[in-house]
Amino acid sequence: MTSKHIVAIGGSDAGISAALRARELDPGSEVTVVVADAYPNFSICGIPYYVSGEVTHWTDLAHRTAEDLKATGMMVRTNTRATSIDVSGRRVALRKRDGRTELLSYDALIVGTGAVSTRPPITGLTGPGALGPHDGVHLLHSMGDTFQVMRSIEERQPAAAVVIGAGYIGLEMTEALTSRGIAVTQIEALPEVLPTVDPELGALVHDELKAHGVEVITGTTVSSVRAESPGGILQVKATGPEGTPILRAADLVLIVVGVKPDTALAVEAGARTGAKGAIEVDEKMRTSLPDVFAAGDCAVTHHRLLGTTWLPLGTTAHKQGRVAGENAVGGDRRFAGSLGTQVVKVFDLVAARTGLRDHEALSAGRGWMPMTSASRPDDHKVYYPGATPIDIRITGDRESGLLLGAQLVGRRSAEISKRVDLYATALFHEMKADAISDLDLSYTPPLGSPWDAVQVAAQSWVREQRP
Ligand SMILES: Cc1cc2nc3c(=O)[nH]c(=O)nc-3n(C[C@H](O)[C@H](O)[C@H](O)COP(=O)(O)OP(=O)(O)OC[C@H]3O[C@@H](n4cnc5c(N)ncnc54)[C@H](O)[C@@H]3O)c2cc1C
């Protein structure tokens, strides 16, 4: 490998992972990370736990401190925005916060511009005079957004909040606000919360929210948010399933309805886009532009079961960034592909999934005949105190017996996250559901069973496969 000047645009999971890998493999390389804000390498996944107060200081969310990053030999330029890429001249135009501009040359460039929050077309949230953080109305993606939420909490001392959206971030934020003593109403347009899992499992999350005093309103679309007076109480108007009008007053409104890839910089430079408008990359994270790589939420995701898709997740951003960094210094690494493995804690409940659900497998175009079975094994031997059931749904191909996906919901003590990882490993190695019973898994009564819950659920699927 020859020494080069590597430039990464974006200082979050993808950009920093790329920079770290480039420095690790080629310590002679010059690596510069350009970051639009002042918070390189912050764990934005931890934002809900700072808002809840469990993480006491925002600086604790840093994966690495400025000193740690400096020690790796990379140069991090904060408060510096990349404004354009000159592909043929291999230069990036930069604008610093004070307005000064500069051109930075590169041998290889990694675009890690991430994603931005989606702002839904709700009256009062778009167009001139749209409500914003000063009115107690917030989007949430960056550390900057987080500080604004915290300012609203301090200044407005909210008694009531409305969270629009019940995906995993919306759920985590509902828990965070509830734990601060704020009465939360969570409004979701789809029929059940956490729509990334089957509704039977989403219903368990719904019950957990209600058990903690959250008002959950599903199948309901918010149509407008307005302030009674400047900076005053917010009125959230929505329409329920049968057209029922719903009105809630709140001191704080959080809009967490998803993200979209931030691709403007790469697209203006001529990069092709793919799934959901994300930057097209091959498995080596190369864009359609010479010497330009992309990684993380701004780029498409290669999925081991679906082909090319878009799945914005921190775990994926780290892995893609690492591959891009390695290849930027002359390596030949491929991103092995995602399985969409994800997990969320909602109060004392944990919900996780990996691979495909029934309808996703059916529409994958791979000729699978998906079948999903449900079971409820205990997390450990029931005679040892504290045993709790885990709701597990396994999806497999009825014809071949191939495991296609798994979804789990259980109490926080039930190791849901590591159990879904076991299914993710089985999926990665293209195992059949039946073969899961052959795995030599650990056992002691306080922690498991001779047949672990993941095996019991797989056996239940196999029984249903062979009627
Ligand atoms: C509240 C919350 C909780 C989450 N929880 C989880 C979780 O539990 N598990 C999980 O897997 N994922 C989670 N995620 C998702 C995960 O955080 C993202 O997938 C991940 O951060 C994506 O990393 P990224 O580097 O691609 O982009 P981003 O994190 O979006 O970062 C983009 C970076 O690019 C910079 N940038 C953008 N444009 C420019 C420019 N023109 N010039 C210079 N810099 C620029 C930004 O300042 C930023 O540094 C969560 C996200 C949020 C918001």
PDB file of all heavy atoms in Angstrom, residues 120-126 129-132 135-138 162 164 187 222-228 232-238 247-255:
ATOM      1  N   PRO A 120     -42.209  15.592   8.217  1.00  0.00           N
ATOM      2  CA  PRO A 120     -43.446  15.199   7.519  1.00  0.00           C
ATOM      3  C   PRO A 120     -44.283  16.413   7.124  1.00  0.00           C
ATOM      4  O   PRO A 120     -44.159  17.489   7.730  1.00  0.00           O
ATOM      5  CB  PRO A 120     -44.178  14.350   8.551  1.00  0.00           C
ATOM      6  CG  PRO A 120     -43.642  14.790   9.872  1.00  0.00           C
ATOM      7  CD  PRO A 120     -42.249  15.288   9.647  1.00  0.00           C
ATOM      8  N   PRO A 121     -45.125  16.253   6.097  1.00  0.00           N
ATOM      9  CA  PRO A 121     -45.929  17.390   5.629  1.00  0.00           C
ATOM     10  C   PRO A 121     -47.103  17.683   6.568  1.00  0.00           C
ATOM     11  O   PRO A 121     -48.255  17.457   6.228  1.00  0.00           O
ATOM     12  CB  PRO A 121     -46.402  16.920   4.242  1.00  0.00           C
ATOM     13  CG  PRO A 121     -46.419  15.428   4.331  1.00  0.00           C
ATOM     14  CD  PRO A 121     -45.373  15.024   5.328  1.00  0.00           C
ATOM     15  N   ILE A 122     -46.790  18.167   7.742  1.00  0.00           N
ATOM     16  CA  ILE A 122     -47.809  18.490   8.747  1.00  0.00           C
ATOM     17  C   ILE A 122     -47.929  20.002   8.807  1.00  0.00           C
ATOM     18  O   ILE A 122     -46.913  20.706   8.886  1.00  0.00           O
ATOM     19  CB  ILE A 122     -47.380  17.922  10.130  1.00  0.00           C
ATOM     20  CG1 ILE A 122     -47.382  16.396  10.101  1.00  0.00           C
ATOM     21  CG2 ILE A 122     -48.256  18.461  11.244  1.00  0.00           C
ATOM     22  CD1 ILE A 122     -46.810  15.751  11.360  1.00  0.00           C
ATOM     23  N   THR A 123     -49.142  20.505   8.753  1.00  0.00           N
ATOM     24  CA  THR A 123     -49.350  21.964   8.818  1.00  0.00           C
ATOM     25  C   THR A 123     -48.706  22.513  10.098  1.00  0.00           C
ATOM     26  O   THR A 123     -48.914  21.974  11.186  1.00  0.00           O
ATOM     27  CB  THR A 123     -50.873  22.288   8.804  1.00  0.00           C
ATOM     28  OG1 THR A 123     -51.429  21.651   7.667  1.00  0.00           O
ATOM     29  CG2 THR A 123     -51.130  23.783   8.759  1.00  0.00           C
ATOM     30  N   GLY A 124     -47.915  23.541   9.934  1.00  0.00           N
ATOM     31  CA  GLY A 124     -47.241  24.142  11.085  1.00  0.00           C
ATOM     32  C   GLY A 124     -45.788  23.715  11.194  1.00  0.00           C
ATOM     33  O   GLY A 124     -45.009  24.346  11.905  1.00  0.00           O
ATOM     34  N   LEU A 125     -45.436  22.624  10.479  1.00  0.00           N
ATOM     35  CA  LEU A 125     -44.053  22.145  10.578  1.00  0.00           C
ATOM     36  C   LEU A 125     -43.254  22.430   9.329  1.00  0.00           C
ATOM     37  O   LEU A 125     -42.041  22.206   9.295  1.00  0.00           O
ATOM     38  CB  LEU A 125     -44.029  20.634  10.845  1.00  0.00           C
ATOM     39  CG  LEU A 125     -44.724  20.148  12.112  1.00  0.00           C
ATOM     40  CD1 LEU A 125     -44.502  18.660  12.302  1.00  0.00           C
ATOM     41  CD2 LEU A 125     -44.200  20.902  13.332  1.00  0.00           C
ATOM     42  N   THR A 126     -43.925  22.862   8.272  1.00  0.00           N
ATOM     43  CA  THR A 126     -43.205  23.144   7.024  1.00  0.00           C
ATOM     44  C   THR A 126     -43.578  24.549   6.533  1.00  0.00           C
ATOM     45  O   THR A 126     -44.552  25.142   6.996  1.00  0.00           O
ATOM     46  CB  THR A 126     -43.584  22.123   5.923  1.00  0.00           C
ATOM     47  OG1 THR A 126     -44.998  22.112   5.812  1.00  0.00           O
ATOM     48  CG2 THR A 126     -43.095  20.734   6.242  1.00  0.00           C
ATOM     49  N   GLY A 129     -42.642  30.347   8.464  1.00  0.00           N
ATOM     50  CA  GLY A 129     -43.229  30.429   9.808  1.00  0.00           C
ATOM     51  C   GLY A 129     -43.373  29.080  10.480  1.00  0.00           C
ATOM     52  O   GLY A 129     -44.101  28.959  11.482  1.00  0.00           O
ATOM     53  N   ALA A 130     -42.687  28.057   9.924  1.00  0.00           N
ATOM     54  CA  ALA A 130     -42.787  26.718  10.532  1.00  0.00           C
ATOM     55  C   ALA A 130     -42.310  26.770  11.980  1.00  0.00           C
ATOM     56  O   ALA A 130     -41.371  27.490  12.313  1.00  0.00           O
ATOM     57  CB  ALA A 130     -41.939  25.735   9.728  1.00  0.00           C
ATOM     58  N   LEU A 131     -42.977  25.992  12.831  1.00  0.00           N
ATOM     59  CA  LEU A 131     -42.573  25.932  14.234  1.00  0.00           C
ATOM     60  C   LEU A 131     -41.230  25.205  14.344  1.00  0.00           C
ATOM     61  O   LEU A 131     -40.923  24.323  13.543  1.00  0.00           O
ATOM     62  CB  LEU A 131     -43.622  25.175  15.057  1.00  0.00           C
ATOM     63  CG  LEU A 131     -45.006  25.821  15.121  1.00  0.00           C
ATOM     64  CD1 LEU A 131     -46.006  24.866  15.759  1.00  0.00           C
ATOM     65  CD2 LEU A 131     -44.945  27.127  15.900  1.00  0.00           C
ATOM     66  N   GLY A 132     -40.452  25.568  15.343  1.00  0.00           N
ATOM     67  CA  GLY A 132     -39.123  24.966  15.504  1.00  0.00           C
ATOM     68  C   GLY A 132     -38.743  24.865  16.968  1.00  0.00           C
ATOM     69  O   GLY A 132     -39.606  25.006  17.856  1.00  0.00           O
ATOM     70  N   ASP A 135     -40.048  27.014  19.691  1.00  0.00           N
ATOM     71  CA  ASP A 135     -41.457  26.816  20.061  1.00  0.00           C
ATOM     72  C   ASP A 135     -41.645  25.504  20.815  1.00  0.00           C
ATOM     73  O   ASP A 135     -42.772  25.119  21.121  1.00  0.00           O
ATOM     74  CB  ASP A 135     -42.318  26.782  18.789  1.00  0.00           C
ATOM     75  CG  ASP A 135     -42.055  27.981  17.895  1.00  0.00           C
ATOM     76  OD1 ASP A 135     -42.476  29.081  18.280  1.00  0.00           O
ATOM     77  OD2 ASP A 135     -41.403  27.814  16.832  1.00  0.00           O
ATOM     78  N   GLY A 136     -40.550  24.766  21.025  1.00  0.00           N
ATOM     79  CA  GLY A 136     -40.662  23.462  21.694  1.00  0.00           C
ATOM     80  C   GLY A 136     -40.989  22.344  20.726  1.00  0.00           C
ATOM     81  O   GLY A 136     -41.456  21.276  21.139  1.00  0.00           O
ATOM     82  N   VAL A 137     -40.723  22.573  19.424  1.00  0.00           N
ATOM     83  CA  VAL A 137     -40.996  21.554  18.397  1.00  0.00           C
ATOM     84  C   VAL A 137     -39.656  21.087  17.824  1.00  0.00           C
ATOM     85  O   VAL A 137     -38.889  21.897  17.305  1.00  0.00           O
ATOM     86  CB  VAL A 137     -41.897  22.138  17.281  1.00  0.00           C
ATOM     87  CG1 VAL A 137     -42.106  21.122  16.168  1.00  0.00           C
ATOM     88  CG2 VAL A 137     -43.237  22.572  17.869  1.00  0.00           C
ATOM     89  N   HIS A 138     -39.391  19.784  17.920  1.00  0.00           N
ATOM     90  CA  HIS A 138     -38.032  19.302  17.631  1.00  0.00           C
ATOM     91  C   HIS A 138     -37.986  18.096  16.709  1.00  0.00           C
ATOM     92  O   HIS A 138     -38.818  17.195  16.811  1.00  0.00           O
ATOM     93  CB  HIS A 138     -37.344  18.889  18.939  1.00  0.00           C
ATOM     94  CG  HIS A 138     -37.189  20.014  19.909  1.00  0.00           C
ATOM     95  ND1 HIS A 138     -36.061  20.796  19.959  1.00  0.00           N
ATOM     96  CD2 HIS A 138     -38.024  20.491  20.856  1.00  0.00           C
ATOM     97  CE1 HIS A 138     -36.209  21.714  20.912  1.00  0.00           C
ATOM     98  NE2 HIS A 138     -37.397  21.542  21.471  1.00  0.00           N
ATOM     99  N   VAL A 162     -45.849  15.404  23.148  1.00  0.00           N
ATOM    100  CA  VAL A 162     -46.350  14.499  22.114  1.00  0.00           C
ATOM    101  C   VAL A 162     -45.143  14.035  21.308  1.00  0.00           C
ATOM    102  O   VAL A 162     -44.338  14.853  20.854  1.00  0.00           O
ATOM    103  CB  VAL A 162     -47.383  15.195  21.195  1.00  0.00           C
ATOM    104  CG1 VAL A 162     -47.678  14.336  19.966  1.00  0.00           C
ATOM    105  CG2 VAL A 162     -48.677  15.469  21.954  1.00  0.00           C
ATOM    106  N   ILE A 164     -44.309  12.206  17.896  1.00  0.00           N
ATOM    107  CA  ILE A 164     -44.921  11.775  16.631  1.00  0.00           C
ATOM    108  C   ILE A 164     -43.991  10.732  16.020  1.00  0.00           C
ATOM    109  O   ILE A 164     -42.852  11.024  15.668  1.00  0.00           O
ATOM    110  CB  ILE A 164     -45.125  12.972  15.667  1.00  0.00           C
ATOM    111  CG1 ILE A 164     -45.964  14.061  16.345  1.00  0.00           C
ATOM    112  CG2 ILE A 164     -45.780  12.510  14.367  1.00  0.00           C
ATOM    113  CD1 ILE A 164     -46.116  15.349  15.524  1.00  0.00           C
ATOM    114  N   ILE A 187     -47.945   9.146  19.107  1.00  0.00           N
ATOM    115  CA  ILE A 187     -48.889   9.001  17.993  1.00  0.00           C
ATOM    116  C   ILE A 187     -48.177   8.345  16.817  1.00  0.00           C
ATOM    117  O   ILE A 187     -47.134   8.816  16.361  1.00  0.00           O
ATOM    118  CB  ILE A 187     -49.472  10.373  17.568  1.00  0.00           C
ATOM    119  CG1 ILE A 187     -50.104  11.069  18.797  1.00  0.00           C
ATOM    120  CG2 ILE A 187     -50.509  10.194  16.462  1.00  0.00           C
ATOM    121  CD1 ILE A 187     -50.744  12.420  18.504  1.00  0.00           C
ATOM    122  N   VAL A 222     -51.077  12.733  12.263  1.00  0.00           N
ATOM    123  CA  VAL A 222     -51.092  14.119  12.754  1.00  0.00           C
ATOM    124  C   VAL A 222     -51.236  15.047  11.554  1.00  0.00           C
ATOM    125  O   VAL A 222     -50.520  14.905  10.555  1.00  0.00           O
ATOM    126  CB  VAL A 222     -49.798  14.446  13.545  1.00  0.00           C
ATOM    127  CG1 VAL A 222     -49.747  15.916  13.925  1.00  0.00           C
ATOM    128  CG2 VAL A 222     -49.705  13.563  14.782  1.00  0.00           C
ATOM    129  N   SER A 223     -52.178  15.966  11.630  1.00  0.00           N
ATOM    130  CA  SER A 223     -52.398  16.873  10.495  1.00  0.00           C
ATOM    131  C   SER A 223     -51.839  18.267  10.751  1.00  0.00           C
ATOM    132  O   SER A 223     -51.433  18.954   9.818  1.00  0.00           O
ATOM    133  CB  SER A 223     -53.889  16.963  10.154  1.00  0.00           C
ATOM    134  OG  SER A 223     -54.604  17.302  11.324  1.00  0.00           O
ATOM    135  N   SER A 224     -51.824  18.708  12.017  1.00  0.00           N
ATOM    136  CA  SER A 224     -51.271  20.044  12.267  1.00  0.00           C
ATOM    137  C   SER A 224     -50.741  20.173  13.683  1.00  0.00           C
ATOM    138  O   SER A 224     -51.177  19.479  14.597  1.00  0.00           O
ATOM    139  CB  SER A 224     -52.329  21.131  12.007  1.00  0.00           C
ATOM    140  OG  SER A 224     -53.246  21.186  13.074  1.00  0.00           O
ATOM    141  N   VAL A 225     -49.761  21.068  13.807  1.00  0.00           N
ATOM    142  CA  VAL A 225     -49.258  21.465  15.127  1.00  0.00           C
ATOM    143  C   VAL A 225     -49.262  22.984  15.120  1.00  0.00           C
ATOM    144  O   VAL A 225     -48.763  23.610  14.177  1.00  0.00           O
ATOM    145  CB  VAL A 225     -47.813  20.950  15.374  1.00  0.00           C
ATOM    146  CG1 VAL A 225     -47.324  21.383  16.752  1.00  0.00           C
ATOM    147  CG2 VAL A 225     -47.721  19.435  15.235  1.00  0.00           C
ATOM    148  N   ARG A 226     -49.862  23.588  16.145  1.00  0.00           N
ATOM    149  CA  ARG A 226     -49.822  25.054  16.196  1.00  0.00           C
ATOM    150  C   ARG A 226     -49.598  25.508  17.632  1.00  0.00           C
ATOM    151  O   ARG A 226     -49.938  24.794  18.582  1.00  0.00           O
ATOM    152  CB  ARG A 226     -51.080  25.682  15.584  1.00  0.00           C
ATOM    153  CG  ARG A 226     -52.319  25.476  16.343  1.00  0.00           C
ATOM    154  CD  ARG A 226     -53.531  26.231  15.786  1.00  0.00           C
ATOM    155  NE  ARG A 226     -54.640  26.013  16.702  1.00  0.00           N
ATOM    156  CZ  ARG A 226     -54.874  26.727  17.781  1.00  0.00           C
ATOM    157  NH1 ARG A 226     -54.110  27.770  18.069  1.00  0.00           N
ATOM    158  NH2 ARG A 226     -55.868  26.420  18.602  1.00  0.00           N
ATOM    159  N   ALA A 227     -48.995  26.699  17.756  1.00  0.00           N
ATOM    160  CA  ALA A 227     -48.761  27.266  19.081  1.00  0.00           C
ATOM    161  C   ALA A 227     -49.923  28.189  19.408  1.00  0.00           C
ATOM    162  O   ALA A 227     -50.319  29.013  18.573  1.00  0.00           O
ATOM    163  CB  ALA A 227     -47.444  28.027  19.095  1.00  0.00           C
ATOM    164  N   GLU A 228     -50.477  28.047  20.610  1.00  0.00           N
ATOM    165  CA  GLU A 228     -51.618  28.896  21.015  1.00  0.00           C
ATOM    166  C   GLU A 228     -51.225  30.368  20.984  1.00  0.00           C
ATOM    167  O   GLU A 228     -52.025  31.238  20.663  1.00  0.00           O
ATOM    168  CB  GLU A 228     -52.069  28.522  22.422  1.00  0.00           C
ATOM    169  CG  GLU A 228     -52.994  27.328  22.435  1.00  0.00           C
ATOM    170  CD  GLU A 228     -53.493  26.997  23.823  1.00  0.00           C
ATOM    171  OE1 GLU A 228     -53.073  27.667  24.786  1.00  0.00           O
ATOM    172  OE2 GLU A 228     -54.299  26.064  23.929  1.00  0.00           O
ATOM    173  N   GLY A 232     -46.011  29.537  23.222  1.00  0.00           N
ATOM    174  CA  GLY A 232     -47.002  29.005  24.167  1.00  0.00           C
ATOM    175  C   GLY A 232     -47.299  27.529  23.966  1.00  0.00           C
ATOM    176  O   GLY A 232     -46.569  26.814  23.278  1.00  0.00           O
ATOM    177  N   ILE A 233     -48.395  27.099  24.605  1.00  0.00           N
ATOM    178  CA  ILE A 233     -48.821  25.687  24.530  1.00  0.00           C
ATOM    179  C   ILE A 233     -49.019  25.269  23.069  1.00  0.00           C
ATOM    180  O   ILE A 233     -49.522  26.050  22.256  1.00  0.00           O
ATOM    181  CB  ILE A 233     -50.157  25.517  25.305  1.00  0.00           C
ATOM    182  CG1 ILE A 233     -49.977  25.871  26.786  1.00  0.00           C
ATOM    183  CG2 ILE A 233     -50.740  24.120  25.132  1.00  0.00           C
ATOM    184  CD1 ILE A 233     -49.254  24.838  27.603  1.00  0.00           C
ATOM    185  N   LEU A 234     -48.630  24.032  22.784  1.00  0.00           N
ATOM    186  CA  LEU A 234     -48.758  23.522  21.413  1.00  0.00           C
ATOM    187  C   LEU A 234     -50.021  22.664  21.310  1.00  0.00           C
ATOM    188  O   LEU A 234     -50.319  21.875  22.214  1.00  0.00           O
ATOM    189  CB  LEU A 234     -47.527  22.676  21.069  1.00  0.00           C
ATOM    190  CG  LEU A 234     -46.210  23.472  21.113  1.00  0.00           C
ATOM    191  CD1 LEU A 234     -45.016  22.547  21.320  1.00  0.00           C
ATOM    192  CD2 LEU A 234     -46.053  24.288  19.827  1.00  0.00           C
ATOM    193  N   GLN A 235     -50.740  22.838  20.235  1.00  0.00           N
ATOM    194  CA  GLN A 235     -51.945  22.038  20.008  1.00  0.00           C
ATOM    195  C   GLN A 235     -51.675  21.101  18.839  1.00  0.00           C
ATOM    196  O   GLN A 235     -51.364  21.540  17.729  1.00  0.00           O
ATOM    197  CB  GLN A 235     -53.139  22.945  19.676  1.00  0.00           C
ATOM    198  CG  GLN A 235     -53.586  23.847  20.825  1.00  0.00           C
ATOM    199  CD  GLN A 235     -54.252  23.072  21.975  1.00  0.00           C
ATOM    200  OE1 GLN A 235     -54.515  21.873  21.862  1.00  0.00           O
ATOM    201  NE2 GLN A 235     -54.499  23.771  23.084  1.00  0.00           N
ATOM    202  N   VAL A 236     -51.777  19.809  19.099  1.00  0.00           N
ATOM    203  CA  VAL A 236     -51.509  18.805  18.069  1.00  0.00           C
ATOM    204  C   VAL A 236     -52.842  18.206  17.635  1.00  0.00           C
ATOM    205  O   VAL A 236     -53.590  17.665  18.442  1.00  0.00           O
ATOM    206  CB  VAL A 236     -50.590  17.694  18.628  1.00  0.00           C
ATOM    207  CG1 VAL A 236     -50.313  16.629  17.564  1.00  0.00           C
ATOM    208  CG2 VAL A 236     -49.289  18.288  19.144  1.00  0.00           C
ATOM    209  N   LYS A 237     -53.108  18.321  16.333  1.00  0.00           N
ATOM    210  CA  LYS A 237     -54.368  17.840  15.795  1.00  0.00           C
ATOM    211  C   LYS A 237     -54.090  16.602  14.947  1.00  0.00           C
ATOM    212  O   LYS A 237     -53.146  16.585  14.151  1.00  0.00           O
ATOM    213  CB  LYS A 237     -54.953  18.919  14.884  1.00  0.00           C
ATOM    214  CG  LYS A 237     -56.438  19.125  14.986  1.00  0.00           C
ATOM    215  CD  LYS A 237     -56.771  20.233  14.020  1.00  0.00           C
ATOM    216  CE  LYS A 237     -58.160  20.736  14.220  1.00  0.00           C
ATOM    217  NZ  LYS A 237     -58.436  21.798  13.284  1.00  0.00           N
ATOM    218  N   ALA A 238     -54.916  15.565  15.118  1.00  0.00           N
ATOM    219  CA  ALA A 238     -54.703  14.330  14.361  1.00  0.00           C
ATOM    220  C   ALA A 238     -56.040  13.709  13.995  1.00  0.00           C
ATOM    221  O   ALA A 238     -57.080  14.096  14.524  1.00  0.00           O
ATOM    222  CB  ALA A 238     -53.879  13.356  15.196  1.00  0.00           C
ATOM    223  N   LEU A 247     -57.241  15.757  19.520  1.00  0.00           N
ATOM    224  CA  LEU A 247     -56.539  17.004  19.837  1.00  0.00           C
ATOM    225  C   LEU A 247     -55.791  16.814  21.155  1.00  0.00           C
ATOM    226  O   LEU A 247     -56.389  16.355  22.139  1.00  0.00           O
ATOM    227  CB  LEU A 247     -57.559  18.147  19.959  1.00  0.00           C
ATOM    228  CG  LEU A 247     -56.986  19.556  20.068  1.00  0.00           C
ATOM    229  CD1 LEU A 247     -56.240  19.949  18.794  1.00  0.00           C
ATOM    230  CD2 LEU A 247     -58.105  20.560  20.347  1.00  0.00           C
ATOM    231  N   ARG A 248     -54.512  17.108  21.159  1.00  0.00           N
ATOM    232  CA  ARG A 248     -53.727  17.005  22.399  1.00  0.00           C
ATOM    233  C   ARG A 248     -52.943  18.299  22.589  1.00  0.00           C
ATOM    234  O   ARG A 248     -52.354  18.821  21.641  1.00  0.00           O
ATOM    235  CB  ARG A 248     -52.732  15.841  22.332  1.00  0.00           C
ATOM    236  CG  ARG A 248     -53.365  14.466  22.377  1.00  0.00           C
ATOM    237  CD  ARG A 248     -53.974  14.150  23.749  1.00  0.00           C
ATOM    238  NE  ARG A 248     -54.644  12.859  23.752  1.00  0.00           N
ATOM    239  CZ  ARG A 248     -55.892  12.629  23.329  1.00  0.00           C
ATOM    240  NH1 ARG A 248     -56.628  13.621  22.861  1.00  0.00           N
ATOM    241  NH2 ARG A 248     -56.408  11.415  23.385  1.00  0.00           N
ATOM    242  N   ALA A 249     -52.908  18.776  23.826  1.00  0.00           N
ATOM    243  CA  ALA A 249     -52.101  19.959  24.150  1.00  0.00           C
ATOM    244  C   ALA A 249     -50.767  19.470  24.711  1.00  0.00           C
ATOM    245  O   ALA A 249     -50.730  18.470  25.425  1.00  0.00           O
ATOM    246  CB  ALA A 249     -52.825  20.802  25.189  1.00  0.00           C
ATOM    247  N   ALA A 250     -49.688  20.138  24.345  1.00  0.00           N
ATOM    248  CA  ALA A 250     -48.363  19.705  24.822  1.00  0.00           C
ATOM    249  C   ALA A 250     -47.448  20.911  24.978  1.00  0.00           C
ATOM    250  O   ALA A 250     -47.643  21.957  24.349  1.00  0.00           O
ATOM    251  CB  ALA A 250     -47.753  18.719  23.842  1.00  0.00           C
ATOM    252  N   ASP A 251     -46.434  20.727  25.819  1.00  0.00           N
ATOM    253  CA  ASP A 251     -45.403  21.774  25.972  1.00  0.00           C
ATOM    254  C   ASP A 251     -44.226  21.486  25.059  1.00  0.00           C
ATOM    255  O   ASP A 251     -43.396  22.355  24.804  1.00  0.00           O
ATOM    256  CB  ASP A 251     -44.908  21.789  27.415  1.00  0.00           C
ATOM    257  CG  ASP A 251     -46.055  21.843  28.403  1.00  0.00           C
ATOM    258  OD1 ASP A 251     -46.725  22.874  28.449  1.00  0.00           O
ATOM    259  OD2 ASP A 251     -46.299  20.826  29.097  1.00  0.00           O
ATOM    260  N   LEU A 252     -44.151  20.226  24.606  1.00  0.00           N
ATOM    261  CA  LEU A 252     -43.015  19.793  23.787  1.00  0.00           C
ATOM    262  C   LEU A 252     -43.530  18.812  22.739  1.00  0.00           C
ATOM    263  O   LEU A 252     -44.341  17.937  23.072  1.00  0.00           O
ATOM    264  CB  LEU A 252     -42.017  19.078  24.699  1.00  0.00           C
ATOM    265  CG  LEU A 252     -40.689  18.678  24.091  1.00  0.00           C
ATOM    266  CD1 LEU A 252     -39.726  19.860  24.138  1.00  0.00           C
ATOM    267  CD2 LEU A 252     -40.073  17.515  24.882  1.00  0.00           C
ATOM    268  N   VAL A 253     -43.088  18.981  21.498  1.00  0.00           N
ATOM    269  CA  VAL A 253     -43.458  18.036  20.439  1.00  0.00           C
ATOM    270  C   VAL A 253     -42.176  17.538  19.792  1.00  0.00           C
ATOM    271  O   VAL A 253     -41.306  18.332  19.410  1.00  0.00           O
ATOM    272  CB  VAL A 253     -44.378  18.682  19.380  1.00  0.00           C
ATOM    273  CG1 VAL A 253     -44.576  17.756  18.181  1.00  0.00           C
ATOM    274  CG2 VAL A 253     -45.734  19.036  19.991  1.00  0.00           C
ATOM    275  N   LEU A 254     -42.069  16.223  19.701  1.00  0.00           N
ATOM    276  CA  LEU A 254     -40.891  15.612  19.095  1.00  0.00           C
ATOM    277  C   LEU A 254     -41.340  14.874  17.840  1.00  0.00           C
ATOM    278  O   LEU A 254     -42.269  14.068  17.901  1.00  0.00           O
ATOM    279  CB  LEU A 254     -40.324  14.617  20.107  1.00  0.00           C
ATOM    280  CG  LEU A 254     -38.872  14.275  20.046  1.00  0.00           C
ATOM    281  CD1 LEU A 254     -38.009  15.508  20.208  1.00  0.00           C
ATOM    282  CD2 LEU A 254     -38.558  13.275  21.167  1.00  0.00           C
ATOM    283  N   ILE A 255     -40.666  15.161  16.721  1.00  0.00           N
ATOM    284  CA  ILE A 255     -41.046  14.511  15.459  1.00  0.00           C
ATOM    285  C   ILE A 255     -39.948  13.518  15.097  1.00  0.00           C
ATOM    286  O   ILE A 255     -38.838  13.918  14.761  1.00  0.00           O
ATOM    287  CB  ILE A 255     -41.209  15.555  14.333  1.00  0.00           C
ATOM    288  CG1 ILE A 255     -42.200  16.628  14.781  1.00  0.00           C
ATOM    289  CG2 ILE A 255     -41.672  14.913  13.035  1.00  0.00           C
ATOM    290  CD1 ILE A 255     -41.752  17.996  14.411  1.00  0.00           C
TER     291      ILE A 255
END
